Amino acid sequence: QVLNYQELGSSWEKVDTGLLLLVNITIKLAQVQNISADSNAATRQLHNELRDDGLEGLYIVEGARGDDRCGIGIHAEDPSVFNQIDCWGRNQLGHACMVIARHLGNESSG
């Protein structure tokens, strides 16, 4: 559950799904596009993990309990997460991560 979502974040529910996906892609790309020696360890790790996931063609989900718009609405550590696939949310952040993962994977494979 996201603290203060009803008061501060519920307006996202009215945002078009395509626009929300574009926003998520833009944010993820901005996070990982200019990796350098000055980048912090977490940014480098995210870049490398997304690149590797892109090379492997993995399906990525945002396992956030209670967020079925940007995530799947089920916590990633829920033991029954794969038994509830038909109940998963829209996973917009997961789809954005897959776009960036494939982009980074294509860049690295030349």
Side-chain angles (χ1 to χ4, degrees):
Q1 200 67 298
V2 177
L3 184 64
N4 297 324
Y5 180 77
Q6 289 301 320
E7 299 84 29
L8 304 173
S10 60
S11 59
W12 275 106
E13 293 300 321
K14 298 176 188 139
V15 173
D16 175 79
T17 299
L19 179 59
L20 181 59
L21 179 60
L22 179 61
V23 167
N24 282 322
I25 289 170
T26 302
I27 291 168
K28 282 296 165 196
L29 184 58
Q31 265 184 304
V32 299
Q33 77 175 2
N34 292 317
I35 297 299
S36 69
D38 295 330
S39 300
N40 69 36
T43 300
R44 286 193 305 275
Q45 180 179 354
L46 176 63
H47 178 276
N48 293 339
E49 287 179 6
L50 285 173
R51 180 200 60 220
D52 294 348
D53 290 351
L55 289 169
E56 292 185 37
L58 297 181
Y59 187 85
I60 301 170
V61 300
E62 170 63 20
R65 185 186 72 220
D67 180 359
D68 63 357
R69 182 157 174 114
C70 287
I72 61 171
I74 303 167
H75 195 280
E77 294 179 3
D78 185 322
S80 64
V81 68
F82 292 113
N83 296 330
Q84 300 179 53
I85 291 174
D86 57 334
C87 300
W88 284 8
R90 290 174 266 187
N91 193 36
Q92 294 290 58
L93 186 53
H95 291 137
C97 287
M98 285 187 287
V99 168
I100 301 307
R102 289 190 180 120
H103 168 71
L104 294 174
N106 287 338
E107 263 189 351
S108 74
S109 66

